[in-house]
Structure formats: C-alpha cells, structure tokens
Amino acid sequence: MVQASLSDVQQGFRDLKTATGKLRDGAATLAEGTAELNTGAADLSAGAGKLSTGSTQLATGARELSGGVGQLTGGVGKLSGGLKQIEAAAPGEAQLAPLQTGVKTLATSATQLSSGLKTLQDGADEVTAGASRLQTGSKQANAGAGQLAAQLPGLASGLTTLQGGAGQLAGGAGQLAAGAAGTPLAAGAANLQTGASQLGAGVAQAQAGAQKAATGAAALAKGTAAVAQGAASLNTGAGQLSAGLTKAAGGAGQLAAGASKLQSGVDTLVAGNLKLKGALGTATASLPKQSDLDTLKGGASTLAARSGDLAKGAATLATGAQDLASGAARVQDGSDQLRDGLKTLYAKIPDQTEQLGGDPAGLSQSVQTVTREFAPVSSNGAAFTPYFMALALWVGCTLTTFIFPYLLIPESARATSQAARVLRKLAVPAVLVLGQAALVLVGVDLLGVQFQNPGLVILTTLAASLTFMVLILALNLLLGAAGRLLALVLLVLQLAASGGSYPVELSPGVFQAIHTFIPVTDVINALRYAMFGAYEGQYATFMLRMGLIALVSLVVALLSRSRWQYAPDRLFRSPLITDVG
C-alpha cells in the first residue's frame, strides 16, 4: 500500500513546491502590504493623537453644553408655565362681552343724559321765570296782607259799635212791642226785636271772625313776607341751577363723546386681547413639551457622558495606535523574514522525487502499532451481554401478546374510560415483564458478568422492560393483531441495526439510518455504560430517549380506541383458550 502510494507522494511534493511558490509570492505581497500597513499605522497613530485631543475638547464642550441645556430647559419650562398662566388669566371673549355691552350701554346712557340735561335746562329756565313772577306776586300779596291787617281792627271796632246798636235796637223793639201790645204794630215790633237780637248775635260772630281775620291777616303778612324771601332765594337758586345745568349739559355732551371713544377703544382692546390670547395659545402650543425638554436634557447629559467615554476611548485608541505602529514595524520585519525563508524553502524543495524501492513486507516493518484501551471488558461473552439482555427483554414482552388478551375486554368495561382500560391491560403484564427482568439480571450475575454500577444496571433493565411493554401494547391497540407481527419484525430489524454484535458503521445504510431511533439501541448503550463504563457522560441521554419512547407509546395507547373487542363477562377468557387478541 505504501509503495502504491508513492505516486501520490511524488504528486504531493510537486503540489508542495507549487504551494510553496504561492506562499513565497504571497509573502512578497505580504511584505509590501506590511510596509504599507506600517506607514498607515504611523498615520493612524498621528490621527489617533489628534482624535484624542479633539475628543477631550469635545468632552469639555459637551459638559458645558449639558449645563447650558439644563439652564435652557429650566428657563423654557418656566417660560412655558408663565405663558400658560398669562393665557389662563387673559380674559376670553365670554369674559370681555360684558365689558363691551357695558360700554355700549354707557355710551347710550351718556347720550340720553345729555338730551335729558338739555330738557332739564329748559325746565330750569322756566322755573327761573316762574320764580321771578312768584317773587313779584308774593311782594304784592305781602302788601295786600299788610293793608288787610291794618283795616281789620277798624272793622272789628265798627262791628262792636254795630253790636251795641243792635242791642239797643232790640231793647227799643221790646219797648215798642210792649207799648203797642194789642195793636197790629205789636207783631211788627216783636219781629223787629227778634231780628235785632239775631243781628246782634250775627254781629258778635262777625266781630269774632273779624278778630280772627285780623290775626290771620297778620300771620298772612308774615307768611307772604317769608314767601317773598323764599321766592327771591328760589329765583337766585333757579338761576344758579340753570347755569349749572348749562355746564352739566356741556359735560354730558363731552361724556357722550368720551363714551363713544371709550366704546371704540374697548372694542379695539377686546380685539387685541383676543388676538393676544390666541397668540399666547399658539406660543404655548409651539413651546416644547416637558417630556421633550427632559429628553433634550437627558440627551445632553448622555452626550456629555458619552463624550467623556469617547475621550477615554480616543486616548486608548491613541495608545493602541502607537502599539499598532510598533507591532506593524515588527510585522514588517517578520514578513520580510517569512518572504526570505519561503524563498529558501522553495529553492530547497526538489522538483522530482526518486522512486522508492523495496517490498510491502519490508515497508511494514517501519509501522509501529499503539493500542489504548478504555472501558475494558473481561471477555468477549461479557461484551455481548447488553445485546442479548436487550433482545431477551424484547422477546419476553412480545410473548406476552400470546398470553394476555390485549384487545379483548369484558362488556362490563364498556362504560369505563380509555385510561382505565389501558391500565387494566398493562398492570398484570407489567408485573410479569418486571419479573422476567429480574430473572435476566440473576442469570447474568450467575454467569459471572461483573457490573461496574449494579444500581444503574437494575434501573436500566427494569426501565427497558416497561418501555418495551408499553410500546408493544400501543402497537396492538393501534394496529390490532398486526401489532404483534410488527413487534416481531422490529425484533429482526433491531438485531442488525442496534450495533450490539458489531459496529453499526459496518452495516448497510438503511440500518445506520434507523440505528438512533430504535429503542434497543438506547437500552444496549445504557447497559454498556452501567456494566463497563462505556459512553461516559451519555447515560442520561440514553435514558431520556427511552423515556420519550415510553411516553409517546402511552399517548398512542390512550388515543387508540377502535380495536377493542367486547365479550360477555361469562365468556371472557384468556387468549390461550379463546385465541382473541
């Protein structure tokens, strides 16, 4: 084989020389590149120094910027709050409407006041004229009252005299009536006496009235004098009132004009205030939100912090660039040496190799075999033990299908759940296969096979028996009687695909493909670990896959309901008698 491979060796030398030539050329290119790298590293070092200086300045500016942004965001926040307060305090259209209405009412009332004052002024002029006439009349009344007061005492005196004459007349009429008694003159005298008496009484009353009139005339004279004085005062006051009303009318006119101007100004003020309020609303809406200000402030702080990190990184970069420049110089030296060494190597490799002589027997003497042993097994028979133990357990579980009626169930169990039926069919066979597992362990131990870990051997054997039992039960419940046949077919397949008798790598591809997925493989490998220590660190994986197969088989059994065969309870017998299931 070595002699037949000499042509490959010669070709290898030629390929090696070709590859070395390429390496030589590449080393030359590498030397040129490292020279450029050295120059670039020097430029990078200089630039990194400038970057470090600039980043330091940037960090300083970023810190100052962060402080300024903090002040700016605080001021903008206060400005926004103040503008919002001004906007809230500024009266709106609803608040200014009463002012506009009041100003309009004031202007209207001022106009009415001016008109009324003019009318009042005309009345005051008439009052002045009337007061003048009243003053004149009161003076005349005072003069008449004085004259009346002066004449009334004489009237009273005459009435007294008249009263005395009436008394005398009554006395004379009495005497006359007495003297003319019995004559027609007596009646006339009596009437005269009566009339004279009445005249005396009336004169007495007139005298009393004249005295009262005299007293009233005196009082009237005093009253007319007072009226004359009041009329004079009224005349003076009416004149002053007329002058004051003239001034008031002028002031009212000015007030009306001012009220009109005030109305115009208030309208302008209201319009300007509404525009101001709208502008404040626009300004407050345009101002950035507090969250945006906080984001800006946080960004400025982050910028300051990251600028500091950048400055530190730039300083580190400058140091690294210097190291890179130094390393690039060393790389250039090394690439020059590599280029020179490859040139020498290329020159030393021969273009052709001589033909190797000798025969295979002689060549084999130069080969030394080194054997390293792990997971030692005492004998070849002991090495086959896991394989035959797994097959024995499978065969035992398969034979239970000929003993127990997996598909036959009494009529009384029709109303029970699927889980109860599966447990009923699994309970007794499970005890049997666990018993057969114990017998296999005892038999292997009696044969003298040593167990490295007896506990794991027992655990693996019992777990394998239960896994095979659940799998075969699931096949029967899923396929019926064909499940028993499939269990036998799987026995044959696993003989070749499990790798128990010889490495699976020597088997056909189809067996290599199913090797990992059949349960006997995991049982054999787990037993090899428990008995001999092989497949170190893989025991948990084998047991996990075995448990997964048992779980899937149990789920399939719980879902397979169509294969049950119901028999009357009195006819329910073992399949050894009824040949069902």
Side-chain angles (χ1 to χ4, degrees):
M1 185 179 295
V2 173
Q3 192 172 17
S5 300
L6 287 178
S7 60
D8 297 335
V9 174
Q10 292 172 343
Q11 182 61 41
F13 270 104
R14 289 192 292 270
D15 294 340
L16 179 60
K17 188 173 182 66
T18 302
T20 305
K22 294 180 179 179
L23 286 174
R24 178 198 60 191
D25 297 337
T29 305
L30 176 63
E32 296 175 358
T34 52
E36 296 177 358
L37 174 63
N38 191 17
T39 303
D43 295 339
L44 176 62
S45 178
K50 295 180 180 179
L51 175 62
S52 177
T53 303
S55 60
T56 302
Q57 296 175 352
L58 174 63
T60 302
R63 287 193 296 270
E64 295 176 355
L65 174 63
S66 178
V69 167
Q71 296 177 356
L72 173 63
T73 54
V76 170
K78 293 179 180 178
L79 174 62
S80 177
L83 289 177
K84 289 180 180 178
Q85 292 179 356
I86 294 175
E87 180 187 6
E93 186 174 359
Q95 290 80 16
L96 293 174
L99 176 61
Q100 288 181 302
T101 304
V103 170
K104 289 180 181 179
T105 304
L106 177 62
T108 303
S109 300
T111 303
Q112 294 175 353
L113 176 62
S114 178
S115 176
L117 286 175
K118 289 181 180 179
T119 304
L120 184 60
Q121 184 181 5
D122 295 339
D125 292 339
E126 294 178 357
V127 169
T128 302
S132 179
R133 291 192 296 271
L134 176 62
Q135 183 180 7
T136 302
S138 63
K139 287 180 179 180
Q140 293 176 355
N142 187 23
Q147 293 177 358
L148 179 61
Q151 294 298 326
L152 284 176
L155 176 61
S157 178
L159 288 174
T160 301
T161 303
L162 180 60
Q163 184 181 9
Q168 293 175 359
L169 178 61
Q175 293 175 1
L176 178 60
T183 64
L185 182 60
N191 291 334
L192 177 62
Q193 184 182 9
T194 301
S197 297
Q198 293 176 351
L199 176 61
V203 170
Q205 292 178 356
Q207 183 181 7
Q211 290 177 351
K212 291 180 180 179
T215 305
L220 177 61
K222 293 180 181 180
T224 53
V227 170
Q229 292 178 357
S233 299
L234 176 62
N235 190 16
T236 303
Q240 294 176 351
L241 175 62
S242 179
L245 288 175
T246 301
K247 293 180 181 179
Q254 295 176 357
L255 176 62
S260 178
K261 293 181 181 179
L262 175 62
Q263 182 181 359
S264 177
V266 166
D267 291 339
T268 304
L269 173 63
V270 169
N273 187 80
L274 293 177
K275 291 181 180 179
L276 176 61
K277 189 174 181 66
L280 286 174
T282 304
T284 53
S286 301
L287 287 174
K289 298 179 181 179
Q290 186 61 40
S291 58
D292 297 333
L293 294 175
D294 295 339
T295 302
L296 175 62
K297 185 176 180 181
S301 301
T302 303
L303 175 62
R306 299 292 81 79
S307 298
D309 296 339
L310 176 61
K312 294 179 181 179
T316 304
L317 176 63
T319 304
Q322 294 176 357
D323 296 339
L324 176 63
S326 301
R330 292 193 294 271
V331 170
Q332 184 177 4
D333 294 340
S335 62
D336 292 338
Q337 295 175 3
L338 176 63
R339 178 193 58 196
D340 297 338
L342 287 174
K343 286 181 179 179
T344 303
L345 177 62
Y346 182 76
K348 296 294 184 180
I349 295 176
D351 296 332
Q352 297 291 334
T353 57
E354 296 180 359
Q355 182 69 30
L356 181 63
D359 54 17
L363 292 174
S364 64
Q365 296 299 320
S366 61
V367 177
Q368 182 179 359
T369 303
V370 177
T371 302
R372 186 171 64 89
E373 187 180 84
F374 63 95
V377 183
S378 58
S379 64
N380 190 43
F384 274 96
T385 302
Y387 175 61
F388 287 111
M389 287 177 66
L391 294 181
L393 295 176
W394 183 274
V395 171
C397 291
T398 303
L399 290 178
T400 59
T401 61
F402 297 94
I403 302 174
F404 297 100
Y406 283 126
L407 301 181
L408 188 63
I409 191 167
E411 187 67 31
S412 59
R414 184 184 292 270
T416 58
S417 64
Q418 179 71 5
R421 298 172 191 172
V422 172
L423 180 61
R424 178 173 183 169
K425 291 300 179 183
L426 186 61
V428 178
V431 174
L432 183 62
V433 297
L434 289 177
Q436 79 161 0
L439 290 176
V440 169
L441 289 171
V442 172
V444 172
D445 182 66
L446 292 176
L447 291 174
V449 178
Q450 298 296 322
F451 299 157
Q452 181 174 324
N453 194 326
L456 292 182
V457 173
I458 296 172
L459 174 64
T460 304
T461 305
L462 297 178
S465 297
L466 291 176
T467 299
F468 294 161
M469 185 70 257
V470 175
L471 176 57
I472 293 172
L473 174 63
L475 291 176
N476 278 266
L477 294 178
L478 179 64
L479 303 176
R484 180 192 302 172
L485 176 61
L486 182 58
L488 295 174
V489 173
L490 286 176
L491 173 63
V492 177
L493 285 176
Q494 292 178 121
L495 285 173
S498 62
S501 57
Y502 52 86
V504 72
E505 289 78 11
L506 302 179
S507 302
V510 63
F511 294 137
Q512 296 184 34
I514 66 174
H515 169 73
T516 308
F517 303 101
I518 56 178
V520 172
T521 298
D522 293 322
V523 175
I524 293 174
N525 292 337
L527 287 173
R528 285 175 174 173
Y529 173 84
M531 296 172 70
F532 313 125
Y535 305 112
E536 184 177 358
Q538 298 298 313
Y539 179 77
T541 302
F542 301 144
M543 296 299 290
L544 181 62
R545 285 207 296 256
M546 202 188 315
L548 182 61
I549 292 173
L551 179 62
V552 172
S553 301
L554 181 60
V555 171
V556 172
L558 292 174
L559 295 177
S560 301
R561 300 171 176 268
S562 61
R563 299 292 180 178
W564 295 112
Q565 297 182 19
Y566 297 95
D569 291 5
R570 60 185 179 80
L571 298 179
F572 182 72
R573 296 291 186 274
S574 168
L576 294 177
I577 302 174
T578 61
D579 195 24
V580 176

